[in-house]
Each structure stands twice: as structure tokens, then as C-alpha cells.
Amino acid sequence: MDKKEKVIALLKSIETGDTAPIAFIHADKYKQHNLAIQDGLAGFGNALAALPKGSARVQTIRAFQDGDYVFTHTDYNFFGPKTGFDIFRFEDGKIVEHWDNLAETPAQANPSNRTMTDGTTALADLEKTAANKTLVEQFVRDVLMGQAPDKLTSYFDGDKYIQHNPAIADGLSGLGAALAEMAKQGVTMTYDRIHKVLGEGNFVLVVSEGSFAGKHVSFYDLFRVETGKIAEHWDVIETLLPQAEWQHQNGKFGF
């Protein structure tokens, strides 16, 4: 099995209870960054044991690899309906580190009738991976971090932009309307730091830290790039637990 297949099997085992994929985890080195789960292989086991019997559902929609990292986009029932991104780091064929971002899945689609996980899954343009990672990282710096907001329109093909954020409609027009409504309500969103950029072909995931509505959050943004422009976007925003509630001291990021 390749790295992607190992990760997909491990995630599916949360639902099925199959113990075989546990062997893909390095028993002595596994480092956990989900702040609510204890460190190590034992912490992973304890989290599974806490799930109500038969409640877990796992459907991995997208899986990508960037060097020693595999990152996935998954529709979960994990203590309730969740949408999540997971990142796994491998050493010598074994999983040694895990990061994730989870959010409750809304009952309804967004204003453009899209969900947090639907849309294309087709991987393309493998030879453009590095260029697409550079493009997306610069977009986050210029626009989301506010370093050059006037460059916004240069990253898109007019208003052709598919949006999966549960509160925002398609297109730059949908994004503008959502931002205006947020400003009207006094809701602020700030990207302070990029922690990791991972990509394969036309898909790029950016892990960032900042604040949303006054809360310390982790942003996981997945972008699909088409002919040098951002064509589609999915995201999960997770509020970080207070440090007193952390189950380990590895931190949320630590790439």
C-alpha cells in the first residue's frame, strides 16, 4: 500500500473497528497535534474507545501526498457530523505525526447550494505543483493576511470561483457580500501566520493561525488551481482549546 492508501485505511478503521491499519502507525514515535486527544498511540486508542459504539462514520473524499506528508479531506461522524482535514507525516513508511482541523457540518448547504466536501476530486497538473503552491501561498499573504489586498482580482478568472464555505456564495461577488455582512455585524477575521503549505498538482492546502469573531483559531484552506487562477475553495475553521484543556504539550501546529 502507498502512503495515501495507508491513511485512507487508517481513517476508515475509525468506522469499521478494523485493527490492522494500526500497524501503519509508529508505536514509539507517534506525535499528536489534536489538542483534545492524548499523545501517542495510546491516545489514539483512547479516543476511539470513547466513541459511542457503532456511531463513527468516515468517508474520505480527497487524499493527496506531498513528500512525506499525506493530507485528506473527510466527511465524518465523530461525536456528531464533522468535516475535517487531516495531515499525516511519514518516516520510513510509518505514520509518526498527525494534525487535523475539524468543524461541525452544517445541516444545510451554503448560499450556492454547495456542501463543505462536494465538488471535483480530480487530480491534475502534477508538474505544476510547486508553481501552484507558490501562487496560493502568495494569495494568502496578499489577500487574507492583508499585505496587498488590491491584488485580489488578479488571482481569479473574473467571478468564476466555486465556494464551499458554508456561509459564502460562489464568486468574488459572494465573497464580497459575505465580508460586507461580517463587517456590518462587527465580526473580524484575521490571518496572522502561515504554518504549512502542502500541495499535489492542482490542489493546495494552507494551514494558518489567526482569529475569527474574537477567538483564536486554526484555518485550513484547500484551494483548487486551474490555469494559474484559483478556481475552487474549501475550508475548516477550528477554535483552539484553552491551554488548560490541552491533552498534551505538542501544540496545534509545530510543523
Side-chain angles (χ1 to χ4, degrees):
M1 298 175 75
D2 64 21
K3 292 182 177 72
K4 289 183 190 178
E5 291 169 333
K6 288 178 179 179
V7 165
I8 291 169
L10 180 64
L11 291 174
K12 193 65 177 179
S13 74
I14 297 171
E15 174 184 326
T16 64
D18 181 10
T19 58
I22 300 297
F24 302 144
I25 298 175
H26 195 297
D28 300 320
K29 287 187 176 182
Y30 186 62
K31 188 174 183 180
Q32 178 65 257
H33 292 275
N34 180 313
L35 300 176
I37 298 177
Q38 295 167 338
D39 200 16
L41 188 57
F44 180 75
N46 291 340
L48 297 187
L51 281 164
K53 188 172 177 62
S55 68
R57 296 290 181 271
V58 180
Q59 182 182 6
T60 298
I61 310 296
R62 297 171 181 85
F64 309 102
Q65 182 177 341
D66 186 344
D68 291 328
Y69 293 88
V70 170
F71 57 104
T72 57
H73 191 197
T74 301
D75 184 8
Y76 284 108
N77 192 312
F78 189 79
F79 300 104
K82 302 282 196 306
T83 299
F85 289 103
D86 290 87
I87 301 172
F88 296 86
R89 185 173 68 83
F90 282 76
E91 282 183 7
D92 300 322
K94 294 275 191 178
I95 296 168
V96 295
E97 202 161 4
H98 170 251
W99 300 258
D100 65 358
N101 232 39
L102 296 166
E104 290 187 14
T105 304
Q108 296 181 335
N110 75 5
S112 294
N113 201 34
R114 304 188 191 280
T115 73
M116 292 181 73
T117 56
D118 67 359
T120 186
T121 60
L123 183 62
D125 301 331
L126 292 177
E127 74 284 0
K128 296 180 181 177
T129 297
N132 288 340
K133 287 172 67 175
T134 298
L135 172 80
V136 168
E137 179 175 357
Q138 198 58 50
F139 165 76
V140 173
R141 294 189 184 281
D142 285 346
V143 178
L144 299 182
M145 297 180 74
Q147 294 178 4
D150 56 303
K151 294 183 179 179
L152 170 65
T153 57
S154 69
Y155 287 99
F156 299 91
D157 181 11
D159 207 33
K160 298 175 184 177
Y161 174 49
I162 299 171
Q163 177 64 261
H164 296 271
N165 180 289
I168 303 176
D170 284 353
L172 289 183
S173 55
L175 179 62
L179 293 176
E181 183 62 26
M182 284 170 54
K184 182 179 175 182
Q185 296 178 12
V187 176
T188 58
M189 179 174 69
T190 304
Y191 281 66
D192 295 321
R193 180 181 176 187
I194 294 173
H195 284 273
K196 195 69 176 176
V197 180
L198 296 169
E200 185 179 18
N202 53 332
F203 287 89
V204 179
L205 178 70
V206 182
V207 177
S208 308
E209 182 178 3
S211 62
F212 183 75
K215 296 179 179 179
H216 185 196
V217 302
S218 174
F219 297 102
Y220 276 49
D221 291 280
L222 179 67
F223 299 89
R224 182 174 63 84
V225 180
E226 188 175 314
T227 60
K229 302 290 184 179
I230 294 172
E232 197 161 5
H233 170 252
W234 302 258
D235 67 337
V236 167
I237 303 171
E238 181 182 318
T239 301
L240 271 64
L241 286 175
Q243 192 161 359
E245 298 178 24
W246 291 10
Q247 296 300 304
H248 53 74
Q249 295 306 308
N250 299 329
K252 178 71 173 175
F253 304 102
F255 289 97

